[in-house]
Amino acid sequence: MADRRPATVKDVAASAGVGIATVSRVFSGAGSVSAPTRERVLAAARALDYRPSALGRGLKLRRSGGIGLIVPDVTDPFCAELVAGVLACARTLGEHVIVDAAGGDPAREAEIVERLVEQRVDGIIALPAGDEADWRGAARVCSSVVFAGRTLPGMPDVPSVLADDAGGVRSLTEYLAGLGHRRIGFLGATPGGPSRVRERAFRGTLGRLGVPVEEDLVVAARPARDAAYAAAAGLLQRRADVTAVLAAGHILGEAAVLVARELDLRVPADVSIAMVDDVAWAELCDPPLTAVARPGHDVGYRACELLLREPARRGRGGPVLLPTELVVRGSCGPLRSQRR
Amino acid sequence: MADRRPATVKDVAASAGVGIATVSRVFSGAGSVSAPTRERVLAAARALDYRPSALGRGLKLRRSGGIGLIVPDVTDPFCAELVAGVLACARTLGEHVIVDAAGGDPAREAEIVERLVEQRVDGIIALPAGDEADWRGAARVCSSVVFAGRTLPGMPDVPSVLADDAGGVRSLTEYLAGLGHRRIGFLGATPGGPSRVRERAFRGTLGRLGVPVEEDLVVAARPARDAAYAAAAGLLQRRADVTAVLAAGHILGEAAVLVARELDLRVPADVSIAMVDDVAWAELCDPPLTAVARPGHDVGYRACELLLREPARRGRGGPVLLPTELVVRGSCGPLRSQRR
DNA sequence: GGGGGCTATGGAAACGTTTCCACCGAGGGG
DNA sequence: CCCCTCGGTGGAAACGTTTCCATAGCCCCC
């Protein structure tokens, strides 16, 4: 009774009294097999508990039937949504997904790409952390790469699916400006950061609205808890006349909320707060936080579709932009008077 | 210049003027190769951009060098932590991880297991949703399974790594009782649910403390947003004399907070709230929520270690229990007077 | 000085699949 | 009545590894 090793086509063929080619045809669906033969083969397979080995098939077909997915951190809500989207799409296409987290480290990203290539994945979806230099090698080495959630400006040849961050920041900025705010702090310009899409959108929108941009109000911060907190505290203490804060990400938003609470600033009476990323706590916060929701799930889903389903259309017409949505809650109020 | 197909051992061997066995030895590390030969091989490999195919190796070795990970939902914070833990451990052991989300559907779980077996994964880590019947088949079919985050009582043969939920609920209950609360509502007893560990811990602790358990205060709720909200609203409206609520999960906790706010109950003056799962928003909430932190990352990490590193010790001595931590914040206060 | 290890190497056989090719029989059109 | 086609089938060769076995040289010790 001890099925030492899993059954193979050969076992099934012998047991069903047919050739191995026939067994293969039954399971791969290709070629023609008569109904009675097919039944016999299926019965034998069931009896032997046979499951085709993806390894054997992959070797022959030269593809593993899986894709790779690289994100900075699976516990980040946006990344998690993105992962879920990729999984959902991959499931419908019958591919499995090898997920790994690079922790924002370009070297680890490169290492992961290397491993994925060894696995002969059919393609890679990445939310890249490094810059172009880090990914040129990877792109050359792998059949097909799609960027999701972030793109590398210098690599237009790699297709990408993005949330419309610029649009999101624009509506947030317009919303705050529409409430009368003029001295709006912006948290989150990554100084050496590659794209700075959000910062540019902020500056651009203010400019278009005729509101002067004070350099002092645009503060850089890596999206790490301590750095974010330091940046928020610095801004709010340095400039007591700031009436609104726009945080370019949920970590920054969290910092802004915490710092405001620490400084005994009432939200939104003393200072309005809004942020990019409509994470779970935005609604639970008191007051609930106005935020821009980025369609993480859809970004992942579309990226996977692009990778597997439309290799032809890939990379044409620049990045696919998915709309964000402004979710207005209670954390932003009309400009009343100066703080302090 | 067109590298039509990726280079193979054969190409490298020819280019380096050695046999394929030698190339294999260089890359797999086994056997002995003289230094000069090794150099020649490595140089040739670099020149040809050679990467060993995991498919070929897997076929020969009869293992893919990867593991499968099944969770209900990657966007759930606890699951995400668990995934991160598994990834971290797998990385150190050089294995890749195929992740999939079953959405709490036993049929989908079974389907995923099937696919993973076809991939010839070295093992499977699962946070199971179904009951024993659903997993007996899977366990039989797969070499090694480890449950993480939840176990199936009827399957002691499958090793598991769990957060000490009972301990967590106990400390939460003791904490609330210690503040003087006697009429404590419990949100989250899943009625048909298999294990009900948390509910039992709640009842048991109250019993030990000599506090009578009122059946009316123990309310069932699936961990879905709408059901949770309904349960919380039902409890707080039906029993205006409840002075504290213990939510058995973050979804339930969220519902409790929202309902309390809706009913204009001040926290903690009118009602104390505490929950299992120290998610991000617990700290951001106003007042910040007292919660029990479950070590999701460690659960994943240990499960992976158990699966890959200690196949011998597996399953001995029952589930591995990892301690939870009570994080006291501002949402629970001493019993003052009756509400209303 | 010869035998017995020991290191470095190559050939070849697996691993489990898909698929090309060949073959066989039956049926239909010339 | 023969040839051609076509559906159904089996054999065998790949796919890229690892590893067993054999071989060749070498040093060392008796």
Side-chain angles (χ1 to χ4, degrees):
Chain A
M1 205 66 309
D3 293 334
R4 224 49 248 125
R5 285 139 57 134
T8 73
V9 261
K10 213 174 285 188
D11 302 322
V12 176
S15 159
V18 301
I20 58 168
T22 302
V23 176
S24 171
R25 273 186 288 255
V26 167
F27 279 91
S28 65
S32 59
V33 182
S34 73
T37 310
R38 155 172 287 114
E39 283 316 313
R40 276 221 316 288
V41 169
L42 288 177
R46 217 169 312 128
L48 293 176
D49 229 33
Y50 167 73
R51 297 144 220 280
S53 158
L55 261 31
R57 166 181 306 131
L59 181 56
K60 180 62 187 169
L61 264 16
R62 290 199 171 82
R63 39 182 301 251
S64 67
I67 64 174
L69 173 57
I70 309 177
V71 294
D73 174 14
V74 290
T75 67
D76 176 87
F78 178 74
C79 287
E81 288 284 347
L82 192 151
V83 172
V86 172
L87 292 183
C89 177
R91 150 182 313 277
T92 73
L93 299 177
E95 299 249 333
H96 62 263
V97 183
I98 300 178
V99 180
D100 214 339
D105 178 3
R108 239 161 88 178
E109 274 181 346
E111 197 183 310
I112 295 172
V113 168
E114 205 70 15
R115 292 188 59 80
L116 291 176
V117 171
E118 287 193 7
Q119 294 297 325
R120 300 295 191 263
V121 291
D122 301 348
I124 294 180
I125 299 175
L127 170 26
D131 62 4
E132 290 127 47
D134 303 311
W135 278 90
R136 287 212 185 286
R140 199 166 28 78
V141 111
C142 178
S143 46
S144 39
V145 179
V146 169
F147 288 146
R150 173 166 178 247
T151 195
L152 266 20
M155 303 182 63
D157 41 325
V158 174
S160 55
V161 180
L162 307 175
D164 180 15
D165 287 12
V169 170
R170 194 188 324 125
S171 37
L172 233 31
T173 311
E174 287 170 350
Y175 173 64
L176 288 173
L179 288 172
H181 295 280
R182 287 301 172 266
R183 283 184 303 281
I184 306 175
F186 182 85
L187 279 177
T190 38
S195 81
R196 306 173 77 152
V197 176
R198 302 178 196 183
E199 181 188 350
R200 273 209 302 271
F202 175 70
R203 292 175 182 277
T205 306
L206 280 191
R208 203 149 19 75
L209 295 173
V211 178
V213 179
E214 301 181 52
E215 284 311 318
D216 198 27
L217 297 184
V218 179
V219 344
R222 285 177 306 107
R225 271 213 160 71
D226 47 356
Y229 192 90
L235 173 68
L236 285 175
Q237 291 181 316
R238 180 158 34 90
R239 294 287 303 251
D241 60 335
V242 163
T243 64
V245 172
L246 199 173
H250 66 102
I251 309 266
L252 284 318
E254 176 179 330
V257 170
L258 255 23
V259 167
R261 197 176 291 169
E262 194 69 27
L263 296 179
D264 275 325
L265 298 175
R266 289 163 305 162
V267 178
D270 293 329
V271 61
S272 292
I273 299 182
M275 72 175 173
V276 174
D277 283 337
D278 185 28
V279 294
W281 61 261
E283 196 180 352
L284 277 300
C285 206
D286 192 39
L289 224 66
T290 293
V292 155
R294 294 193 292 160
H297 191 279
D298 295 347
V299 168
Y301 199 98
R302 280 293 289 144
C304 186
E305 257 182 349
L306 206 56
L307 182 69
L308 295 175
R309 197 159 217 162
E310 316 166 5
R313 208 186 308 174
R314 247 166 30 203
R316 288 226 278 257
V320 177
L321 272 196
L322 266 30
T324 59
E325 189 191 355
L326 176 64
V327 182
V328 174
R329 297 202 181 88
S331 65
C332 302
L335 181 69
R336 295 248 175 83
S337 59
Q338 298 286 104
R339 267 169 65 197
R340 184 70 55 104
Chain B
M1 206 60 314
D3 293 336
R4 220 54 245 123
R5 287 138 58 134
T8 73
V9 259
K10 212 174 287 188
D11 303 323
V12 177
S15 160
V18 301
I20 58 168
T22 301
V23 176
S24 171
R25 273 187 287 257
V26 167
F27 279 91
S28 66
S32 59
V33 181
S34 72
T37 310
R38 154 171 288 111
E39 283 317 312
R40 275 221 316 288
V41 169
L42 287 177
R46 216 169 313 124
L48 293 177
D49 227 32
Y50 167 74
R51 294 144 222 281
S53 159
L55 260 30
R57 166 182 304 134
L59 181 57
K60 180 64 186 165
L61 299 190
R62 287 205 180 78
R63 39 182 301 251
S64 65
I67 65 175
L69 173 57
I70 309 178
V71 294
D73 173 15
V74 290
T75 66
D76 176 86
F78 179 73
C79 288
E81 288 285 348
L82 193 149
V83 172
V86 172
L87 293 182
C89 177
R91 151 182 313 279
T92 73
L93 299 177
E95 299 250 331
H96 62 263
V97 184
I98 300 179
V99 181
D100 214 340
D105 177 3
R108 239 161 87 178
E109 275 181 347
E111 197 183 310
I112 295 172
V113 170
E114 204 70 15
R115 293 187 59 81
L116 291 176
V117 171
E118 287 194 8
Q119 295 296 326
R120 299 295 190 265
V121 290
D122 301 348
I124 295 181
I125 298 175
L127 170 26
D131 62 4
E132 291 126 48
D134 302 312
W135 279 90
R136 288 214 183 285
R140 199 168 28 78
V141 111
C142 179
S143 45
S144 40
V145 178
V146 169
F147 289 145
R150 171 162 179 252
T151 195
L152 266 20
M155 304 183 62
D157 40 325
V158 174
S160 54
V161 180
L162 307 175
D164 180 15
D165 287 11
V169 169
R170 192 188 325 126
S171 39
L172 233 29
T173 310
E174 286 171 350
Y175 173 65
L176 288 173
L179 289 172
H181 295 280
R182 286 303 173 265
R183 285 184 300 283
I184 306 175
F186 182 85
L187 279 178
T190 38
S195 81
R196 305 172 77 154
V197 176
R198 302 179 196 183
E199 182 189 350
R200 274 209 301 271
F202 175 70
R203 291 174 182 277
T205 307
L206 280 192
R208 203 153 14 79
L209 295 173
V211 178
V213 178
E214 300 181 53
E215 284 309 319
D216 198 28
L217 297 184
V218 179
V219 344
R222 286 177 304 108
R225 273 213 160 72
D226 48 356
Y229 192 90
L235 174 68
L236 286 175
Q237 290 181 317
R238 180 157 34 90
R239 295 287 304 251
D241 60 335
V242 163
T243 63
V245 172
L246 199 173
H250 65 100
I251 309 266
L252 283 318
E254 177 179 330
V257 170
L258 255 21
V259 167
R261 197 176 290 172
E262 192 70 26
L263 296 179
D264 275 326
L265 297 175
R266 289 164 304 162
V267 178
D270 293 330
V271 62
S272 292
I273 300 182
M275 70 175 175
V276 175
D277 284 337
D278 186 27
V279 294
W281 61 262
E283 197 180 351
L284 278 300
C285 207
D286 193 39
L289 224 64
T290 292
V292 155
R294 294 193 291 159
H297 191 278
D298 295 347
V299 168
Y301 200 99
R302 280 292 289 143
C304 186
E305 256 181 350
L306 207 56
L307 182 70
L308 296 174
R309 198 159 217 164
E310 316 167 7
R313 209 184 308 173
R314 245 163 35 199
R316 287 225 280 257
V320 176
L321 272 197
L322 267 30
T324 58
E325 190 192 354
L326 176 64
V327 182
V328 175
R329 299 202 180 89
S331 65
C332 301
L335 181 68
R336 298 249 175 82
S337 59
Q338 299 284 104
R339 266 169 64 199
R340 184 72 53 104

